[in-house]
Amino acid sequence: MQIADAEIHLWQLEQSDFDLPAVQAECLSWLTDIELQRYQRYQFDRHRKQLLLGRILMRAALSSYNNAIAPAHWTFTQNEYGKPAICAAQNSEPLYFNLSHSGQRAVLAVSRLEDIGIDIEFAKKARRVEAIAQRFFSATEVAQMLTLPKALQLDRFYELWTLKEAYIKACGMGLAIPLQHFSYGFEGEDSLTIEFDVRREDSTSAWQVWQLDAGTDYKLAIAARAEGSVQKISSWQFSSLDRIAERETTVLRSK
């Protein structure tokens, strides 16, 4: 697999396509000692399956770019906020990635861009959207969301949440960045804006963000510090340990 500097690749899987005992038998050895300890602490199979499939997706995808490294042999570091990266000894032609999972889906973004973040959310779970938004979103975002009909507010909540998560994950700091310190706007049908509070000390021109079609039940967003350099987003579906198929990528909105 080849990836250009101006590309982002997405790798996706549905948990229902995989049988937990089968992937345990074949891939449990791929986990690090720390991951295995976490896996064993889980009481429920659904949590074990989510963790294991996320690591399988990450490792198998990375090996498609460098088949000299088997999926089980990748090694990773973490920054002070816990964002993982390939260790320097295995990353001479730099690749960066970010993983997200929700509901029955796992999604991985791979890029030559170091500051890349992705978030997917199952968007059909009811939320107290006004109360959560008042706590976590900017005043502008809350006001705009509440002007929508009630039937559309849940969709906008998840759109904003995934966009915000994608940005803070791309920055590698997670919720150490207050979500109120930057705001998204929805201009027209297919465009986004992002504005930063002075406390954030970031530049709008440094970022590209996208909302992608993930079906009726999910919201999906990507953010990259790219200054307009990303020209193409491609997607693949990982449906078994030996079956990968390219899938259509539909951008709904972008900045």
Side-chain angles (χ1 to χ4, degrees):
M1 182 75 69
Q2 300 295 318
I3 182 168
D5 292 345
E7 285 187 274
I8 294 172
H9 288 180
L10 300 187
W11 297 79
Q12 304 189 45
L13 65 74
E14 293 279 350
Q15 291 190 37
S16 58
D17 288 338
F18 296 84
D19 175 67
L20 181 58
V23 293
Q24 279 181 150
E26 189 158 352
C27 302
L28 196 60
S29 62
W30 295 10
L31 300 185
T32 65
D33 290 342
I34 291 174
E35 289 170 338
L36 186 58
Q37 289 170 15
R38 180 180 168 195
Y39 180 89
Q40 292 170 337
R41 284 198 301 269
Y42 284 137
Q43 296 184 10
F44 300 108
D45 280 350
R46 67 178 183 275
H47 296 142
R48 296 189 188 99
K49 189 174 186 180
Q50 185 180 70
L51 185 151
L52 182 57
L53 287 176
R55 298 310 185 270
I56 289 170
L57 178 64
M58 184 172 73
R59 289 169 173 276
L62 292 176
S63 287
S64 74
Y65 300 97
N66 184 350
N67 56 22
I69 303 175
H73 295 159
W74 288 98
T75 57
F76 304 97
T77 60
Q78 290 188 346
N79 72 5
E80 60 185 304
Y81 300 97
K83 184 177 182 179
I86 301 167
C87 74
Q90 294 180 330
N91 210 21
S92 57
E93 297 182 10
L95 275 179
Y96 301 96
F97 65 90
N98 197 234
L99 176 69
S100 181
H101 46 68
S102 182
Q104 288 293 306
R105 297 238 185 121
V107 182
L108 180 81
V110 178
S111 178
R112 300 289 184 194
L113 299 165
E114 183 171 2
D115 298 325
I116 180 81
I118 190 167
D119 190 57
I120 190 167
E121 297 290 340
F122 177 69
K124 293 302 182 183
K125 183 177 180 180
R127 298 281 188 181
R128 294 167 52 243
V129 295
E130 183 172 354
I132 299 172
Q134 294 282 3
R135 180 179 177 189
F136 291 106
F137 295 172
S138 72
T140 301
E141 289 168 332
V142 175
Q144 291 177 347
M145 186 185 77
L146 295 180
T147 64
L148 296 173
K150 284 284 187 182
L152 300 179
Q153 289 181 18
L154 185 65
D155 270 357
R156 178 55 51 84
F157 170 84
Y158 279 110
E159 287 170 349
L160 284 166
W161 192 268
T162 52
L163 285 163
K164 285 179 171 285
E165 283 278 345
Y167 170 77
I168 64 176
K169 292 176 72 180
C171 292
M173 297 176 64
L175 288 171
I177 298 174
L179 298 182
Q180 302 92 334
H181 287 190
F182 59 103
S183 296
Y184 285 101
F186 299 79
E187 303 292 334
E189 293 187 357
D190 59 0
S191 61
L192 294 165
T193 62
I194 182 170
E195 295 182 2
F196 295 102
D197 187 289
V198 293
R199 294 168 291 180
R200 180 66 203 125
E201 297 182 345
D202 205 342
S203 169
T204 296
S205 63
W207 289 90
Q208 288 184 260
V209 292
W210 302 264
Q211 281 186 304
L212 302 183
D213 184 4
T216 58
D217 291 345
Y218 289 86
K219 300 297 181 184
L220 174 63
I222 308 171
R225 193 189 303 271
E227 297 186 352
S229 66
V230 175
Q231 304 299 320
K232 185 178 181 182
I233 300 175
S234 303
S235 301
W236 283 266
Q237 188 74 25
F238 188 75
S239 53
S240 75
L241 294 176
D242 56 5
R243 188 164 67 248
I244 298 168
E246 191 166 5
R247 56 178 290 170
E248 184 179 359
T249 305
T250 302
V251 176
L252 301 177
R253 296 186 181 96
S254 63
K255 179 251 170 224

